[in-house]
Amino acid sequence: MYIRPFDPWKSKLCTCPFKYTLNPYTGCDHACVYCYITSYIPKAFRVRVKDNLLPSLERELREFDKRFIIAMSYSSDPYPTIEKELGITRRVLELFKRYDIRCLLLTKSDIFERDIDLLSELRCAVGITVTTIDERKAKLLEPNAPPPKGRIRALKRAKKAGIPVYARIDPIIPFYTWEDFEETLDALDFVSHITVSTLKLRPDIRARMRAKFPELMKILEPLYTEKYEGYYYLRRDIRLQILEKARRLIEDRGITFGSCREGYYSHPTCDGSHLVP
Ligand code: SF4
């Protein structure tokens, strides 16, 4: 089965409305330093094509309950570099159109610009993740992902084409991306919904962060004192201060606010799924 219920580790902190998820590829070559898939997908930063994906998916879609949403993708990006050449995600979207599937797309790439024609004919909302508008920091954090400005340009075009659009600012890294949060927000002020999440640490993430940002980690690590479900979280008072300020800044711009795995407020949904027609 390629379509699976979305239930990330049965987390008590996950407030997502029930939905399904589909990953057109295994692995993701954006190679984000803070990526959590390295803890459960071997060779996670190498993209692999799935066996027999399209015929199997078509069989599954014939039986699929159309009330539910399929989110793409939560364990890989639906637009890795190789998608330009292979067009597998585009073919998945063509199947979604044929079977009238409701879809929530999330990417850190601008390749989806190619598919705006198709996306505008689907019952679909499109989102991008932008951790920071600072190109230099983004390159360090997400070495192989297209620059944030390209993602934003593509999302503006999607909005112009009538597609509901949203964004994630995730993860927020104190003393780093949090420093340019307002500028990032200004660049995203045309979206309908923004979901935020603070950086969470696991051993693999911690090791990559230490290697790349030794000085930053000297300040950050002592603040990661709370453990929930295998992840270290920022000290609660600091985390809530960040979330409250982020919420105020987002809502002041007339954008709805969501938070992901924080045990904090979201409205109308944490993940932007209310935007899917
Ligand atoms: S885009 Fe997402 S799945 Fe891909 S490397 Fe970055 S965090 Fe991991």
Side-chain angles (χ1 to χ4, degrees), residues 23 27-38 40-41 44-45 73-78 106-109 129 141-143 145 170-171 208:
N23 292 286
C28 180
D29 66 342
H30 296 334
C32 306
V33 103
Y34 50 75
C35 180
Y36 56 85
I37 66 167
T38 47
Y40 62 91
I41 298 181
F45 294 154
S73 312
Y74 283 12
S75 290
S76 63
D77 193 301
L106 181 66
T107 179
K108 218 169 273 174
S109 173
T129 300
L141 288 167
E142 301 142 4
D170 169 17
R208 286 195 300 269

Side-chain angles (χ1 to χ4, degrees), residues 9 31-45 199-213 217 221 229-232:
W9 321 282
C32 306
V33 103
Y34 50 75
C35 180
Y36 56 85
I37 66 167
T38 47
S39 63
Y40 62 91
I41 298 181
K43 298 188 181 131
F45 294 154
L199 175 72
K200 284 129 192 117
L201 294 176
R202 289 180 66 104
D204 49 340
I205 301 172
R206 194 186 284 263
R208 286 195 300 269
M209 291 283 296
R210 274 184 190 156
K212 204 155 212 177
F213 303 105
M217 288 304 276
E221 288 199 68
E229 300 168 345
Y231 284 84
Y232 278 93

